[in-house]
């Protein structure tokens, strides 16, 4: 089995007639998928085609989708299907080459548009053997199914997490290990609403030391300086730390202690996009002698009052996210908080025993969520790598086990 050297893409597919629907005509009440140049798939009560169709954006940026069955599409979408070659195979080929398509076939001032003539004349390599093509499609389709199933499981865990988090931080767990209820337990009014009568509410300033990190821009040299890694806003994600890209900075040795992270420190972002504000993620010492930037607050809790794991839960809860948004200074697509506002963050405060019980209850569910999130990244990375290898002929599908990725 081998790949053709070159074939014009326009010879491998047929172009469908132009759509009769504008984007704004999607009624979103029907059950037929409605494809546009945007990322979101809309719906429509009428369908135009009933086949395996590739939908390619014609304006803005390269974007490709695939549908098998009845569907509709807008006038800003290029709808095509394979001739001798599988539509699904051509879809994967275009998906793998999206950045190339955008660079080479989208031109114009302002909003760029797909130059169809140049796109049709693009020469690509396709398999000679239709059986190999079918195997590649089957292999990548199995990966897609695994990815979709994992995404659905993650969404399910996220819904459960949100509900459980809200209940744990408003009802708590009684001495019998059950969620409290106002029907069976005593509650009281507080600045955070109704809470168990055993709980207090304290400002974060009374429960921790809060400090800003090292400011960038100053240059230090000499024998009394040292170069060390530091965390920035991009490293502090919602519920985890992304340590794949760590920057370093040189600073005087005398300043190292002030900015060094300790295991158990809770990291909170000072600002950035709205979704990056706050977050609250625990530092677990994955990098020895690591610092933090001034846009990342370090919160070191008083362990006899507040567990860092409990603070992490509060900061990531709907209440915590709402606090950071409401308290922040906002500009276009950006938000920021200062240390004064962070110190005023009110924390619902059970005793330490109940804090531990709440953390334990939540952590088992969170572990499942994190496991599936990690699995999703692996599958997505595997798909990206295999598309590049299989569609170029670098790796032949007959050397792989298709069944390995079946759902």
């Amino acid at each position: 089995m081998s790949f053709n050297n070159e074939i014009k893409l326009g010879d491998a597919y047929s172009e469908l007639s132009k759509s009769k629907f504008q984007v704004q005509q999607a009624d979103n009440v029907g059950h037929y998928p409605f494809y546009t140049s945007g990322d979101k798939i809309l719906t429509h009560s009428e369908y135009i085609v009933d086949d395996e169709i590739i939908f390619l954006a014609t304006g803005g940026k390269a974007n490709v989708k695939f549908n098998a069955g009845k569907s509709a599409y807008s006038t800003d979408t290029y709808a095509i299907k394979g001739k001798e070659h599988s539509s699904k195979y051509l879809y994967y080929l275009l998906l793998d080459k999206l950045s190339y398509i955008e660079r080479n076939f989208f031109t114009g001032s302002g909003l760029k548009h797909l130059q169809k003539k140049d796109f049709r004349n693009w020469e690509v390599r396709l398999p000679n053997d239709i059986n190999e093509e079918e195997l590649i499609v089957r292999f990548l389709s199995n990966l897609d199914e695994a990815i979709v199933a994992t995404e659905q499981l993650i969404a399910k865990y996220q819904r459960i997490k949100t509900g459980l988090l809200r209940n744990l931080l408003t009802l708590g767990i009684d001495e019998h290990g059950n969620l409290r209820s106002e029907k069976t337990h005593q509650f009281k009014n507080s600045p955070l609403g109704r809470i168990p009568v055993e709980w207090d509410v304290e400002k974060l300033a009374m429960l921790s030391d809060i400090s800003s990190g090292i400011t960038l821009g100053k240059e230090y040299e000499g024998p009394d300086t040292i170069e060390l890694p530091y965390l920035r806003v991009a490293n502090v994600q919602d519920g985890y730390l992304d340590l794949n890209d760590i920057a370093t900075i040189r600073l005087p040795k005398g300043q190292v202690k002030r900015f060094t992270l300790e295991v158990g420190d809770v990291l909170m972002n000072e600002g950035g996009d709205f979704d990056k504000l706050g977050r609250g993620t625990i530092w677990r010492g994955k990098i020895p002698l690591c610092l933090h930037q001034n846009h990342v607050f370090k919160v070191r809790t008083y362990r006899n009052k507040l567990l860092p794991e409990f603070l992490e839960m509060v900061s990531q809860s709907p209440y915590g996210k709402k606090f950071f948004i409401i308290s922040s200074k906002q500009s276009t697509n950006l938000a920021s908080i200062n240390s004064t506002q962070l110190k005023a963050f009110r924390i619902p405060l059970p005793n330490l025993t109940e804090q531990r019980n709440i953390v334990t209850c939540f952590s088992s569910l969170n572990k499942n969520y994190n496991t599936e999130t990690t699995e999703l990244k692996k599958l997505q990375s595997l798909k990206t790598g295999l598309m590049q290898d299989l569609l170029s002929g670098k790796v032949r599908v007959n050397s792989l086990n298709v069944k390995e990725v079946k759902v």
Side-chain angles (χ1 to χ4, degrees), residues 123-296:
E123 294 182 331
V124 296
R125 298 178 68 234
L126 297 172
N128 279 323
D129 191 326
I130 194 66
N131 291 323
E132 181 170 12
E133 186 172 285
E134 290 176 354
L135 284 172
I136 291 173
V137 167
R138 193 190 315 169
F139 197 94
L140 294 176
S141 295
N142 285 338
L143 270 175
D144 277 339
E145 291 176 13
I147 287 171
V148 169
T150 306
E151 288 174 337
Q152 291 173 342
L153 193 55
I154 289 172
K156 176 183 176 181
Y157 280 137
Q158 182 60 61
R159 291 192 296 271
I160 297 172
K161 273 182 59 176
T162 301
L164 179 60
L165 197 54
R166 183 182 291 109
N167 287 336
L168 289 173
L169 296 179
T170 55
L171 305 176
I173 299 177
D174 65 17
E175 65 275 15
H176 303 295
N178 301 315
L179 283 173
R180 292 187 182 84
S181 165
E182 290 215 40
K183 293 181 180 180
T184 56
H185 296 78
Q186 289 187 322
F187 281 69
K188 64 182 179 182
N189 293 323
S190 79
L192 303 182
R194 300 284 288 173
I195 61 172
V197 70
E198 298 91 341
W199 290 17
D200 294 319
V201 175
E202 291 278 5
K203 292 182 178 179
L204 189 57
M206 305 300 295
L207 304 169
S208 65
D209 290 324
I210 300 172
S211 58
S212 185
I214 188 169
T215 301
L216 307 183
K218 296 182 180 180
E219 296 184 4
Y220 299 98
E221 295 180 357
D224 292 328
T225 65
I226 186 172
E227 186 172 353
L228 293 172
Y230 71 91
L231 298 187
R232 58 196 194 282
V233 170
N235 299 122
V236 183
Q237 298 295 314
D238 195 6
Y240 69 97
L241 296 174
D242 183 352
L243 305 179
N244 292 319
D245 183 15
I246 300 295
T248 61
I249 188 172
R250 182 167 290 277
L251 74 163
K253 293 178 180 179
Q255 296 184 17
V256 171
K257 183 177 180 180
R258 175 184 173 188
F259 301 119
T260 298
L261 297 173
E262 293 183 4
V263 174
D265 287 342
V266 181
L267 304 172
M268 296 188 180
N269 289 333
E270 177 193 52
D273 298 332
F274 288 110
D275 65 326
K276 295 182 176 64
L277 191 64
R279 287 185 167 171
T281 304
I282 294 178
W283 175 247
R284 304 187 186 278
K286 292 290 183 68
I287 301 174
L289 203 56
C290 188
L291 316 178
H292 63 114
Q293 183 193 1
N294 62 312
H295 295 304
V296 177

